[in-house]
Every structure is written in structure tokens, then in C-alpha cells.
Amino acid sequence: MTAMDQEFADLHQAVALCGELSSLATTDCDLEKIVTVVAGRAGVWAAVVDDSLMVLALCAGTSGRTGEERLAKVLDSDSEAVSQLIAEAARMRRALSLPAAGASAVSLVVAPILVGDDLVAYLVTAGHDAEETGEDARILVTEHAAMVCAVILGRRRVVAIAAGRARRELFDGLVLVGDRTEEADAEEWARHLGIDPEQRHRVLVAVLCSSSRAPAPAATDMVEHMIATRCPSATVVNRDAEVVALVPGGDDFGLSRQLTSLARLCREAVTARFPGMRLIAGLGDPHTGAVRISTSYDEARRAVGVGQLMTGLSDVTAFAELGVHRLLAQVRDPGELSAFAREMLGKLMDHDRTNGSDYCATLTAYFRQDGSLRRAAALLHTHPNTVAYRVHRAEKIAGLDFTSYSDRLAAQVALEIVNGLGGNP
């Protein structure tokens, strides 16, 4: 057979294989079926991999398990060369080949798998020269197979988007209008989401915000993944700028502490990966029944609202622990809060700022320890007599009388405002 005849035969075989692959695109097949057909018909090893060379589907044709192990070894031992080939194929958006470097080596062809404008994976074929079709024919087959893989993955994406939209609409019904709908409807929505409508649940809301730009979808995706993997019992929904987790459980303090720790872990991850972005989380109280899920969501959102207004508070706030801040947050103008704080404690704050004293911190510890000099001293790492002296001095500087109920209450509220606004009202 002449070289031209061989080339014609290779091309004829490649066209026939492309036709078979095209017919598979109209069926409900998967990536494993595509690589199996490519490997079996073209006499090569085939795999679908992601950017990190993690294998998503693999087949070694007639080589069986041994061939699969050898292909995995090729991808691992020549990872740098394969990575460079993948990077170049991604840049050029077309299939590229890497010839065999020796008698025992294999040649590689990499074709990017594009779903719309997104490059989601790569189809890799490998084989010895004696086992493979001509290089041009294999490039054609690999590129066509990658297109079929893109059709399959695109179909999956459409189904996933549709399912996700339906899931989100059901979840929105529970968290947004659950308390204004029929109990039977709320219970049905919950069952469709795999939620026990009679169980006790609480809601964790994580909101991403930035002063300079809208939250990156990658940031909310990361938070959603972190919560879902670390709290598998939760129903987690990504609602663009916020991630909502519905967590089964009662009044267990351990669960509240666990969710608070998880929210803080998410916050640290967001800060590290997305500079300038801030995560604020709120935890609602536990409530029983599907129709009350919206109540816990509303509480979690109110806790988030307090965190957004009172920037000096923790970025993770439980509704049950808000105290007077639930009322203070109803004053939407921070200027009004600042004015009240300065009216009550302005002289004391100015004295601290000018002289480097810490009378406001001492008063905060004293009031939060219910007026106990001993406990406040332990918290401040000083002597009770020192705390008593500082409280007396703060009283005189501020022009207040702490034996007066109204003065004492006003000072406590003003301190909560000062600390909630970051100490700079």
C-alpha cells in the first residue's frame, strides 16, 4: 500500500469514526462512552481531564487495565509537558499534538472542550506510533470527539441550571413568603427540597459585600461549597450576593457554635482569596415547621443588617445575641446614633483620644460584667481598685451620675453605639 493509499485509508477511518461520534451526541450517553469509542476504534488511549490533569473519564481500548495505568502514568510523569500542551491548546482554542520522543514514548493529542465560551475540560489521546492512525487523522478525531463531549457537558449544564432554578424558586418560597402562605404549600415545597417539614431548623445567611464592586460569582460559589461540604445535613442555596443554609437542629448551643465557626472560616477564606471583599453572616433562631423557616431567615437577615451597620461588631452575629443592637439597627441613619453617643460620652471620648487613656474600654467592661469590679478587673488584667478609680473618673469627665438610672442607661447605650460603630462615632 502506498503512502497516499494509507493516508486515504486513515482519513476514511477517521471520517467514519467522526460520524459514529456525531450519532452518539444525539443519545443520552456520557463522557465514558465517548472515550471508549475513541479508544476502541482508533486504537489509542483516551481520557478527559481538567486543568489540574485530574481524570474525569478514561479508556485504554484493547490495552485494558494495564493501558489505563500506563496512560495515568504518562499524565503523571510527563505532567509538565502535558500541562504546557494543554495551556497552548487552551490559548489557541484548537487541538494540538506532541510527537513521541522515543521508541517507548507515546505521542499525545490534546483538544479543548468548549461549552459556549467556557473551556471546561480537555480530551487527550495517546498511543505508540504502531498502534495509532496517522497524526492528522487522530487530530481530526480528537477534536471532533471534544466537540461531542462539549455537547454532552452543555446538555448537563442546561439541566443543572434548570434544576437549580427550580430549586431556588422553591427555596425562595420558603424563606421569603413562607409565613404568608398556606402551611400545606410550605410543607410540599420543603418535601420537594428533601427537607423534613416537621423538623426544627435554623437559617445561616452569609452575605458578600464590597465597597468597590459587586461580589464575584466565584466568591459565592466558594462559600456555598465550603458550607455544603462541612455541613452536609444543611440545604444550601446560592442566591447571588448571599448564600443561605437551612440547618436542621434545635436549641443546641454546640450547633450554634459550630455554625458560627464555619461562618468565620468562610469569612477568612473570602478575605484571603478576594481582597477588598467582606463576608457578613447572621444566624437565625431555631423554629419548628416549614412555615416558620422564613422567620429564621428574617432573623438571620436582620443580624446581617446589624453587622453591616455596626461595623465594630463581629462579622458573624447570632440573632439571639443582638440585644439592644436589634433596636439600634432600626435607626437607619448612623449619624443619629453618632450624635447620641457624642452627646452622652463626647467629653470622655475626646479625653481618651487626647491623653491616650482607656476610660471607654473600662466602662464597657464594667457594664458588661454587670457592675462587678472583680470580674471587670480580671477581664482588663488590672486590680479592682483601679477599675473603681477609672469608673469614678469617667463619671466625672463625662458629667454623668451612674447612681442615676437614666444616666447609667444612657451611658450603656452610648457605649454600645461607640463600640458598634468601630469606636469612632
Side-chain angles (χ1 to χ4, degrees), residues 222-234 236 262:
M222 182 183 73
V223 173
E224 178 187 12
H225 178 73
M226 289 182 67
I227 295 176
T229 53
R230 289 167 174 78
C231 190
S233 63
V236 187
L262 176 55

Side-chain angles (χ1 to χ4, degrees), residues 348 358-359 361-363 380-397 402:
L348 191 62
D358 56 358
Y359 289 124
T362 299
L363 281 185
L380 296 170
H381 305 290
T382 188
H383 195 276
N385 290 343
T386 303
V387 175
Y389 169 76
R390 291 177 182 172
V391 169
H392 180 70
R393 281 286 297 149
E395 191 177 15
K396 297 303 180 184
I397 295 170
F402 291 157

Side-chain angles (χ1 to χ4, degrees), residues 138-166:
R138 184 148 68 91
I139 291 176
L140 174 64
V141 168
T142 305
E143 193 160 43
H144 190 79
M147 292 173 59
V148 175
C149 288
V151 171
I152 294 171
L153 293 176
R155 190 159 54 221
R156 288 182 184 177
R157 176 178 288 190
V158 170
V159 171
I161 290 173
R165 184 178 296 116

Side-chain angles (χ1 to χ4, degrees), residues 62-108:
T62 57
S63 301
R65 184 65 185 171
T66 302
E68 292 182 5
E69 293 172 353
R70 292 178 68 184
L71 178 55
K73 185 176 181 181
V74 168
L75 294 175
D76 182 57
S77 61
D78 295 338
S79 59
E80 183 176 353
V82 177
S83 295
Q84 291 176 353
L85 184 63
I86 283 178
E88 190 63 17
R91 186 183 69 82
M92 300 183 69
R93 298 277 170 136
R94 66 179 181 84
L96 296 177
S97 63
L98 182 66
S104 62
V106 296
S107 61
L108 296 173

Side-chain angles (χ1 to χ4, degrees), residues 2-344:
T2 66
M4 184 174 294
D5 290 338
Q6 182 62 53
E7 184 178 350
F8 179 79
D10 291 341
L11 183 59
H12 179 76
Q13 181 183 2
V15 170
L17 179 51
C18 287
E20 183 177 355
L21 291 169
S22 295
S23 66
L24 288 175
T26 63
T27 66
D28 187 23
C29 69
D30 54 20
L31 297 179
E32 287 75 11
K33 179 65 175 179
I34 300 301
V35 296
T36 299
V37 170
V38 172
R41 300 291 188 274
V44 296
W45 308 332
V48 176
V49 301
D50 62 12
D51 285 316
S52 65
L53 298 186
M54 185 178 76
V55 176
L56 307 179
L58 184 149
C59 183
T62 57
S63 301
R65 184 65 185 171
T66 302
E68 292 182 5
E69 293 172 353
R70 292 178 68 184
L71 178 55
K73 185 176 181 181
V74 168
L75 294 175
D76 182 57
S77 61
D78 295 338
S79 59
E80 183 176 353
V82 177
S83 295
Q84 291 176 353
L85 184 63
I86 283 178
E88 190 63 17
R91 186 183 69 82
M92 300 183 69
R93 298 277 170 136
R94 66 179 181 84
L96 296 177
S97 63
L98 182 66
S104 62
V106 296
S107 61
L108 296 173
V109 176
V110 172
I113 299 175
L114 298 163
V115 177
D117 293 329
D118 297 332
L119 206 165
V120 297
Y122 304 86
L123 181 65
V124 180
T125 58
H128 295 291
D129 291 342
E131 299 173 344
E132 60 180 348
T133 61
E135 181 183 31
D136 290 344
R138 184 148 68 91
I139 291 176
L140 174 64
V141 168
T142 305
E143 193 160 43
H144 190 79
M147 292 173 59
V148 175
C149 288
V151 171
I152 294 171
L153 293 176
R155 190 159 54 221
R156 288 182 184 177
R157 176 178 288 190
V158 170
V159 171
I161 290 173
R165 184 178 296 116
R167 186 169 180 268
R168 176 169 164 174
E169 288 175 355
L170 284 170
F171 197 80
D172 284 353
L174 285 176
V175 301
L176 297 180
V177 299
D179 60 346
R180 297 190 296 277
T181 191
E182 295 293 331
E183 185 173 354
D185 290 337
E187 290 179 354
E188 182 179 0
W189 297 342
R191 289 192 180 94
H192 280 309
L193 289 166
I195 298 169
D196 183 351
E198 297 179 0
Q199 194 169 5
R200 201 161 174 79
H201 290 85
R202 68 195 314 162
V203 172
L204 172 68
V205 174
V207 174
L208 292 163
C209 53
S210 171
S211 58
S212 58
R213 65 185 189 280
T220 51
D221 289 346
M222 182 183 73
V223 173
E224 178 187 12
H225 178 73
M226 289 182 67
I227 295 176
T229 53
R230 289 167 174 78
C231 190
S233 63
T235 300
V236 187
V237 174
N238 188 333
R239 303 184 67 248
D240 298 330
E242 71 175 16
V243 177
V244 184
L246 180 60
V247 187
D251 302 302
D252 182 13
F253 175 73
L255 176 61
S256 177
R257 185 170 54 187
Q258 175 190 348
L259 293 176
T260 299
S261 298
L262 176 55
R264 290 199 173 108
L265 185 65
C266 292
R267 180 196 63 192
E268 292 168 3
V270 167
T271 302
R273 185 171 173 184
F274 302 94
M277 195 161 292
R278 180 186 176 202
L279 182 145
I280 303 174
L283 182 62
D285 289 342
H287 295 276
T288 301
V291 78
R292 296 295 306 280
I293 289 173
S294 61
T295 303
S296 186
Y297 173 77
D298 181 62
E299 291 169 348
R301 281 293 321 186
R302 288 172 65 184
V304 168
V306 172
Q308 290 173 322
L309 178 66
M310 301 286 190
T311 57
L313 299 180
S314 168
D315 280 348
V316 183
T317 308
F319 181 77
E321 299 172 359
L322 285 179
V324 71
H325 293 287
R326 288 170 56 182
L327 299 177
L328 296 178
Q330 300 304 309
V331 182
R332 306 313 300 174
D333 181 7
E336 289 290 333
L337 297 175
S338 297
F340 176 80
R342 289 209 61 83
E343 182 180 342
M344 294 296 105

